[in-house]
Amino acid sequence: MTMLESIPFSLLELASIREGRDATDTFKESLRYAQAADDLGFHRFWLAEHHNTEGVASSATAVLVGHIAGGTQRIRVGSGGVMLPNHPPLVVAEQFGTLESLYPGRIDLGLGRAPGTDPVTARALRRDDHAADDFPNEVQLLQQLLGPMQPGQRLKAIPGAGTNVPIWLLGSSLFSAQLAAQLGLPYAFAGHFAPRLVREAVHLYRSRFQPSATLSEPYVVLGLPLVIAETEARAKLLSTSGQQRILALFRGEPVWLKPPVESMAGFWSPQEEAGVKEFLSLAAIGTPEQVKEYLEGLVAELQVNELMFTNDLYDPDERIRALELLMSVKEVT
């Protein structure tokens, strides 16, 4: 057995809109992608929450979770994550209680405390400027609303109560790592866009973890970008779609997913190049053999329990082919 054979592989979907396409096309492609992942044995398929971002269609996260869960059979489907300060906890509990009732045993609720958008949009979402300060209390309220009904309980999520939808804390800094440890919840680190604090955050979570009724031992999921192909040259070519996207993000431009280019020379300044490469510094890029070697080193160093990949290739067929190649990594000797 290889080291990676026992590590679950999962996917994070941003519902990226390809240049020249629309949300309808994107949702169809996301479902086909999820169905392929389901057939190949991927463990989870999570959808992010973003708002007012041209090029990203994952704003109504709970709706998309239902769309994907309804079109798949086995894979767990969830939020990666719901940005809790944007939403009343009761509404979130009702939404995910409904999803769990429709697709029993297959729904995850990942929670973040960031707005997932800019300040103007945050205000349009009726987000209180201080809502993030209430995040710990609101997480615990969600635990109560999704847990067993208590005698005399007045506030109830119907459906939701008694569904025990698994709650995950997501983070890119140390705050959620510490809170997840304190509450005894599983933790997912957003290494696909904020790799800088990954080692410190995972160590903090593991060292301070308090067993709970939910979880007896710490459980860490690491998110990271993936670009895998039959040859190293092809993987490097395909990686330019993601590089163009992050460059557009830095410049405040629409982040449509664009076709790969032969070279990024002339697209960015030296400072922008350094920034994009730092942003993507945890990326697994290369052939199955190269990706296997890199992932084994990462798992051994960080002692993560599960890997969750973003796979933002431009061509939908190549994206599915990448899933096949990724699963072959578990068998590469």
Side-chain angles (χ1 to χ4, degrees):
M1 176 181 290
T2 69
M3 177 186 294
L4 297 178
E5 205 169 340
S6 61
I7 299 289
F9 282 0
S10 297
L11 300 171
L12 177 64
E13 173 72 335
L14 305 181
S16 303
I17 304 175
R18 291 192 292 152
E19 189 174 42
R21 302 303 179 95
D22 59 19
T24 299
D25 297 326
T26 300
F27 296 148
K28 290 177 181 176
E29 291 166 0
S30 291
L31 179 57
R32 186 164 75 94
Y33 177 61
Q35 289 168 336
D38 195 17
D39 291 340
L40 288 165
F42 281 82
H43 189 47
R44 304 179 207 275
F45 191 95
W46 281 4
L47 295 123
E49 176 184 342
H50 293 277
H51 300 280
N52 196 25
T53 305
E54 290 184 88
V56 176
S58 59
S59 55
T61 314
V63 177
L64 288 180
V65 170
H67 172 60
I68 298 299
T72 52
Q73 299 297 319
R74 295 166 297 277
I75 196 167
R76 296 193 65 88
V77 188
S79 59
V82 163
M83 300 297 105
L84 188 54
N86 293 342
H87 311 278
L90 177 61
V91 172
V92 175
E94 290 171 340
Q95 289 174 342
F96 279 79
T98 299
L99 288 164
E100 175 64 23
S101 300
L102 288 167
Y103 310 105
R106 294 183 54 213
I107 302 299
D108 294 326
L109 174 55
L111 300 172
R113 67 189 285 264
T117 189
D118 60 88
V120 172
T121 308
R123 286 192 291 272
L125 289 165
R126 300 184 180 179
R127 177 188 166 98
D128 185 322
D129 289 342
H130 302 289
D133 297 337
D134 293 329
F135 183 70
N137 292 330
E138 293 194 336
V139 170
Q140 291 176 292
L141 176 57
L142 263 175
Q143 287 182 295
Q144 295 168 13
L145 291 170
L146 293 169
M149 197 93 72
Q150 300 300 315
Q153 181 175 333
R154 297 187 63 186
L155 183 62
K156 306 167 186 174
I158 311 291
T163 57
N164 297 302
V165 176
I167 292 176
W168 295 68
L169 294 194
L170 281 56
S172 58
S173 65
L174 304 183
F175 180 90
S176 289
Q178 184 166 331
L179 182 61
Q182 177 186 329
L183 297 179
L185 292 173
Y187 177 60
F189 187 85
H192 60 290
F193 72 83
R196 188 171 61 87
L197 292 175
V198 59
R199 289 163 179 83
E200 191 174 351
V202 171
H203 173 74
L204 178 67
Y205 170 70
R206 286 196 168 279
S207 63
R208 298 193 182 181
F209 181 83
Q210 299 293 317
S212 67
T214 301
L215 199 62
S216 60
E217 297 179 345
Y219 192 95
V220 180
V221 170
L222 175 63
L224 67 162
L226 169 77
V227 185
I228 188 169
E230 280 86 353
T231 67
E232 182 179 7
R234 184 65 182 168
K236 288 182 176 179
L237 172 68
L238 296 177
S239 72
T240 61
S241 290
Q243 290 172 342
Q244 291 177 78
R245 199 150 184 256
I246 303 309
L247 179 60
L249 178 68
F250 285 177
R251 292 175 174 176
E253 299 170 353
V255 292
W256 310 112
L257 193 58
K258 297 183 178 182
V261 293
E262 289 295 334
S263 171
M264 287 292 292
F267 280 82
W268 50 22
S269 68
Q271 293 79 10
E272 288 174 327
E273 179 181 1
V276 170
K277 289 183 176 179
E278 181 182 3
F279 190 103
L280 298 172
S281 61
L282 278 182
I285 302 174
T287 65
E289 292 79 11
Q290 291 169 323
V291 168
K292 174 182 180 288
E293 181 179 1
Y294 172 68
L295 294 180
E296 285 187 335
L298 205 58
V299 168
E301 178 191 359
L302 298 177
Q303 294 298 297
V304 297
N305 302 93
E306 186 173 335
L307 295 170
M308 181 170 283
F309 301 91
T310 55
N311 180 30
D312 280 340
L313 303 188
Y314 176 78
D315 184 273
D317 292 331
E318 285 202 275
R319 210 173 171 222
I320 290 174
R321 175 58 180 154
L323 297 185
E324 297 169 353
L325 293 174
L326 178 58
M327 273 304 186
S328 75
V329 163
K330 289 178 175 284
E331 301 168 2
V332 170
T333 58

